[in-house]
Amino acid sequence: MFKRRPLQSKSEIWMRNIAMGFLIIYMTIFLIVPVIIVVAGSFHQWNPLNQTYNWIGLDNYIRMFSYPTFWQSMANTVIFCVVVVIFRVLLGLAIAYALNSKLMKHKTLFRTIFYMPTVTPLVAVAYVWKIMYNPQFGLIDNIFGLDINWLYDSRFALIALMVMTIWKDFGYAVILFLSGLLSLPSDCYESASIDGANAWQTFRYITLPLLKPTMLFVVVTSIISYLQAYVPVLVMTTGGPGTSTYLSSYLVYDQAFKQYNFGFASAISLFILVLTAIFTVISFKVTGANEN
Amino acid sequence: MKHKTLKTVLYIVLALLGVVTVFPFVWMVLSSFKTNNEIQSIVQTLLPQEAIVDNYLNLQQTFDFLRYFLNSIFIAVAVTVIVIYTSCLCGYVLGKYQFKGKNVIFGFVMMTMMVPWSVTIIPRYTMFMEAGLQDTYISLILPVMVSGFGIFMMKQNMESIPDELIEAARMDGSNEFQTFHKLVLPLCKNGISAIAIFQFLWVWEDYLWPYLMIDSEKKQLLAVGLTLFNGRYSTDYGGLFAATTISILPVIIVYVIFQKRFVAGVAAGAVKG
């Protein structure tokens, strides 16, 4: 298929050395060194405001695991991830499947509309939704005739954040599943219809397995990005009411840049890194990407 | 007959979803022309009773919002151009050359995409403060010059360029730098468009880093400007609607114009990955 060909001319070697040299130096300064600093910092009582940097061993980690807000933020993050990812996948898959069917026209129009929220800046969108959730004159209570103070009621605040996130992000899944569907080989479908498979059987036993790589991509990238979500919390609830909408990345922001507990925040952020790695590995296992 | 009903149902469901998707934007734009009294009145109408542009004028007069807008455009364009170049360069070398350690380097680039901002932001903040770079635009550009996502996308793109084309250019005596700039770069338009829009958006909506680095209000960017405005005039909903409209609408317009190329680029990266 492709030939293995060593670098020949001098200019090729130069090109490689410049590009890879730059990449390695850059990654070292902006990634490897920072990770080392964070790991070291997580074993210290570290406050940049009063210049403290004292070795305290595992105290930050011990404190983290006995800190109720940490567990609350973890529970919120897991709920947030699971609910939003499920809706994103289901909505994305269903809409993409509908758009892909021969019955539909105006595909480009629909695709453009559904993808629109994804390309808009989150901070601005979060402000718009904050007003939409306003109990006096907000769009949502008005349209549905409800009387719910979405962002100031601990029963609804996290739901409100999830609804906004689903609205903003489902279009990304639509685009990915749609391009996944378009790339499927058509001969599978022909033989399936010859064998007399109905629409559901075709979807369940042919389309779905073939979409595994796309599914994997959507799930992994979603989890990675939701473990890092903080803007909706920052703009719409600042973690409240109480601690009911703390997400783990917002907790890092809160501890690092409001309380200036850099060491403690480092420990939490490393925990998020480990979680990200675990989730990624699990997703690969569950969706069976190794088979491909 | 059965197909016809199915078709109608599909259209109605999708149209409803489409309305739900677009409605917040429509509401935002229309509300930005309402007076604050009207926005907060008990009886709500979609269209403004009397359309005014005062929200926009006040925003500019009291807050110099245009300044944040232009600052954001400047930084976003600068970062986007740099990221496109570094992504293409590294993507070309990783996609088209064979050499020892290539897979290790690429694997490492892929791993960097997994590292959350919360891990790097504390040391990065410390490093930039120590280096005395706070309140400079260097601090906003330097840490985002290379994108793992961009390199990944461009590597995919480069691999789809036929070797024969590049080989032919080499035969003609063009050196690698000429080949890369004159032949390879123009062939990657789809990938470049996708990276361009994503990267632009990421800079446009980035909040925390400019908030931490930039002290002087004159240099501040749009996303932080929005929160500053909201913090200072928290009851001026008309002004907030105008401010969010200014932050959102240009992005939507650019997206609608380039959406075809953009969607092609996004899809190409994901399907092969």
Side-chain angles (χ1 to χ4, degrees):
Chain A
M1 286 287 281
F2 56 91
K3 46 188 188 274
R4 285 195 162 267
R5 161 187 172 283
L7 299 179
Q8 285 163 345
S9 65
K10 246 188 184 151
S11 74
E12 278 174 66
I13 292 169
W14 264 108
M15 186 90 168
R16 180 201 66 186
N17 291 351
I18 291 173
M20 294 299 107
F22 166 76
L23 187 63
I24 290 168
I25 292 171
Y26 188 90
M27 290 295 186
T28 309
I29 297 176
F30 289 100
L31 220 92
I32 297 177
V33 170
V35 169
I36 293 170
I37 295 178
V38 154
V39 172
S42 71
F43 297 108
H44 288 81
Q45 186 192 29
W46 179 13
N47 184 327
L49 290 189
N50 54 23
Q51 308 275 324
T52 42
Y53 192 73
N54 306 319
W55 174 266
I56 50 167
L58 287 169
D59 277 12
N60 282 325
Y61 291 96
I62 294 166
R63 204 179 126 206
M64 178 173 90
F65 288 121
S66 57
Y67 184 46
T69 309
F70 169 74
W71 290 112
Q72 165 100 57
S73 78
M74 277 301 149
N76 287 343
T77 308
V78 171
I79 295 170
F80 189 93
C81 273
V82 170
V83 172
V84 178
V85 170
I86 286 176
F87 271 93
R88 200 178 187 183
V89 167
L90 288 182
L91 271 175
L93 194 55
I95 295 174
Y97 202 67
L99 281 180
N100 192 42
S101 85
K102 292 189 184 73
L103 299 172
M104 292 298 297
K105 283 171 193 151
H106 312 295
K107 288 176 208 246
T108 316
L109 174 71
F110 278 116
R111 202 183 57 184
T112 309
I113 288 175
F114 291 137
Y115 200 61
M116 202 177 275
T118 311
V119 298
T120 50
L122 185 53
V123 177
V125 164
Y127 274 114
V128 174
W129 275 76
K130 191 180 180 183
I131 311 180
M132 280 170 62
Y133 282 128
N134 187 298
Q136 269 98 45
F137 51 89
L139 195 57
I140 292 180
D141 280 359
N142 257 311
I143 287 184
F144 298 104
L146 299 169
D147 185 22
I148 296 174
N149 197 347
W150 292 95
L151 299 174
Y152 293 90
D153 186 328
S154 56
R155 287 170 302 170
F156 296 110
L158 191 63
I159 297 173
L161 296 184
M162 293 193 287
V163 170
M164 188 215 68
T165 310
I166 293 167
W167 171 85
K168 184 157 188 329
D169 289 349
F170 79 95
Y172 172 78
V174 173
I175 299 278
L176 293 185
F177 280 122
L178 195 56
S179 56
L181 286 169
L182 287 173
S183 70
L184 297 186
S186 59
D187 45 345
C188 295
Y189 291 96
E190 279 155 25
S191 59
S193 69
I194 290 167
D195 291 346
N198 65 29
W200 168 251
Q201 285 168 331
T202 316
F203 177 76
R204 171 70 188 80
Y205 295 104
I206 296 180
T207 312
L208 215 50
L210 285 171
L211 280 179
K212 251 185 194 173
T214 317
M215 187 79 85
L216 173 79
F217 189 86
V218 173
V219 171
V220 172
T221 51
S222 301
I223 290 174
I224 292 178
S225 71
Y226 294 140
L227 281 173
Q228 306 189 41
Y230 75 100
V231 167
V233 184
L234 183 98
V235 170
M236 295 165 77
T237 65
T238 59
T243 53
S244 62
T245 56
Y246 265 81
L247 297 181
S248 48
S249 285
Y250 182 76
L251 183 63
V252 175
Y253 160 78
D254 185 64
Q255 284 297 328
F257 299 111
K258 279 173 148 178
Q259 330 274 348
Y260 285 93
N261 293 326
F262 272 25
F264 188 46
S266 299
I268 303 171
S269 75
L270 284 172
F271 189 82
I272 297 173
L273 176 65
V274 172
L275 267 189
T276 311
I278 292 173
F279 266 121
T280 311
V281 172
I282 291 177
S283 311
F284 271 93
K285 284 257 149 68
V286 169
T287 43
N290 301 336
E291 293 161 25
N292 294 299
Chain B
M1 215 33 225
K2 197 185 148 206
H3 268 203
K4 202 138 199 201
T5 25
L6 185 63
K7 191 175 165 181
T8 323
V9 171
L10 266 184
Y11 260 98
I12 292 173
V13 171
L14 285 177
L16 268 178
L17 278 168
V19 170
V20 171
T21 311
V22 176
F23 202 67
F25 297 125
V26 177
W27 182 67
M28 167 190 78
V29 174
L30 290 173
S31 300
S32 71
F33 295 106
K34 289 179 183 171
T35 61
N36 264 317
N37 280 336
E38 201 189 326
I39 290 171
Q40 301 182 57
S41 78
I42 313 247
V43 187
Q44 295 276 327
T45 53
L46 184 56
L47 291 169
Q49 307 272 330
E50 44 161 342
I52 52 157
V53 287
D54 298 24
N55 291 326
Y56 290 91
L57 298 178
N58 288 342
L59 190 64
Q60 185 50 29
Q61 263 161 22
T62 56
F63 209 62
D64 199 7
F65 205 71
L66 198 62
R67 170 126 215 163
Y68 300 135
F69 186 82
L70 295 175
N71 288 346
S72 272
I73 289 197
F74 172 73
I75 293 292
V77 168
V79 169
T80 305
V81 169
I82 295 172
V83 165
I84 287 174
Y85 191 79
T86 57
S87 304
C88 287
L89 186 67
C90 296
Y92 177 63
V93 170
L94 288 170
K96 280 294 175 200
Y97 288 6
Q98 304 295 339
F99 56 91
K100 242 186 176 175
K102 179 177 116 158
N103 291 333
V104 177
I105 295 179
F106 184 63
F108 186 72
V109 169
M110 296 297 290
M111 263 170 50
T112 64
M113 287 203 274
M114 234 176 53
V115 179
W117 63 263
S118 51
V119 170
T120 47
I121 201 153
I122 295 168
R124 216 203 259 168
Y125 174 80
T126 321
M127 284 159 71
F128 277 80
M129 292 308 257
E130 297 265 318
L133 287 170
Q134 70 268 39
D135 212 26
T136 64
Y137 277 170
I138 298 174
S139 69
L140 297 187
I141 295 174
L142 205 54
V144 283
M145 277 168 44
V146 171
S147 147
F149 169 79
I151 294 176
F152 168 69
M153 288 275 293
M154 286 328 292
K155 180 175 178 274
Q156 305 274 23
N157 248 268
M158 297 292 176
E159 278 168 351
S160 66
I161 298 174
D163 283 337
E164 291 75 20
L165 265 180
I166 297 170
E167 209 53 56
R170 283 175 188 150
M171 293 294 190
D172 286 346
S174 107
N175 70 37
E176 281 303 292
F177 297 94
Q178 291 161 336
T179 315
F180 174 68
H181 289 109
K182 293 196 179 130
L183 175 77
V184 174
L185 277 186
L187 284 172
C188 298
K189 281 195 193 113
N190 276 349
I192 290 178
S193 320
I195 295 181
I197 300 181
F198 268 125
Q199 192 61 51
F200 189 91
L201 183 68
W202 286 333
V203 182
W204 193 258
E205 70 177 5
D206 191 17
Y207 168 80
L208 191 50
W209 187 242
Y211 165 78
L212 292 175
M213 278 295 120
I214 302 298
D215 299 326
S216 32
E217 266 187 29
K218 278 199 305 192
K219 290 187 190 168
Q220 200 46 275
L221 303 190
L222 197 65
V224 185
L226 267 178
T227 60
L228 287 177
F229 178 82
N230 187 248
R232 218 166 293 167
Y233 310 97
S234 61
T235 54
D236 183 4
Y237 293 102
L240 189 60
F241 274 123
T244 51
T245 303
I246 294 174
S247 337
I248 291 177
L249 218 52
V251 186
I252 292 187
I253 293 168
V254 172
Y255 158 68
V256 170
I257 295 171
F258 291 108
Q259 61 94 13
K260 212 170 182 180
R261 206 177 272 283
F262 179 57
V263 169
V266 177
V271 170
K272 285 190 210 152

